[in-house]
Amino acid sequence: MYLFFLIKQDNEKELLNQTIIYLILCKKIMANRQTIRTERNIFNALFRIMQLKNFNTIKVVEIVEEADVARLTFYRHFSSKEDIILKKIKEIIKCINDELNTRNNINLKESLHIVINVFEKYISFFTLLIKNNLEGLVVQSFKKDIYSIIKKVFLINNTNKYLEKFYEGAFVYVIIEWLSNDDESGKVFFEKAYRLFSSIDVNYS
Amino acid sequence: MYLFFLIKQDNEKELLNQTIIYLILCKKIMANRQTIRTERNIFNALFRIMQLKNFNTIKVVEIVEEADVARLTFYRHFSSKEDIILKKIKEIIKCINDELNTRNNINLKESLHIVINVFEKYISFFTLLIKNNLEGLVVQSFKKDIYSIIKKVFLINNTNKYLEKFYEGAFVYVIIEWLSNDDESGKVFFEKAYRLFSSIDVNYS
């Protein structure tokens, strides 16, 4: 990474101030890049171990060894092995939200396409989670953040908490069903999901 | 409990055989009653502790002390503290299924009524679970057994796995939303849920 920072200041004190700001900025960017790298490294290590053994039997010490990081480093980034998964799913949901937010007046077809495309990238991760009976963890981590996606996909205006939960549950369960079996491509699933979701008519107000 | 068992047999060997059968039967019934009593006792102990502290911080030794049973007894009935909750939810689902199965040609209104009535009995248990962030555990334990209920409530014939999951997710999320807040009576919720579920039209085949 190269970071160009133009310092042009006649006043000597100002020059010093700006240099300090520059140094702090550099340090922050480097630390952030390091955080992302370390967290990705730890996630990949857990993912590799999960392909060999059941999640319940995996110990933090094994993840630490596989990732080749210090135990202290692990706990600076994650509170537990579950936390690694929760953070990864949060990252995936954020990624979908960012993509959806770049478009205006998006319809069901387009938004569903975006959602399925992002999930498809991580399908082997989700399949592994569900094989490890971690469906509950997936649902738990979807809970806080997925509603913003549902609102965009189904064009729901804030109406009624039960109607919102109705759509949320239906959507989450259908997506999880697809993610449970990595034998159906995103394209095939998209056709089915679009046909299903566009056939629903709720006359509830 | 009194158990009358009429032994009327002239043949001496047959009399002995029947007495043995009678004794085995008695022992089985007593053991089963003891199992139910012990499991209920342990569940109640966990429930009491959960009112005072967070589930994650509760240790099996505390449950064992509160229930006044031996550690070995605990592990003869449950594999973990999570297992206590999973078994209780299984029992609740079975209770609903048994009630639904006594009726023929049941409609949405009647079946929803039965489901909500049973859940209402355990609303403080579920509210506590969800307050403890154990929603994932609830979803996980619903997973295996709730589909038989959904099928009866929504009169679904085995059609399409995504359509099934659509109904299952919608139903589970709406029920959990209600159970999360113990401030709405079963009667009020029933009216809302019935209005919502009867307003859905799925033109999907």
Side-chain angles (χ1 to χ4, degrees), chain A residues 133 136 140 162 184 201 203, chain B residues 136 140 143 162 184 199 201:
Chain A
N133 278 323
Q140 190 96 24
Y162 292 125
E184 192 164 81
D201 195 14
N203 300 302
Chain B
Q140 190 97 23
K143 200 190 160 197
Y162 292 125
E184 192 162 82
S199 74
D201 197 13

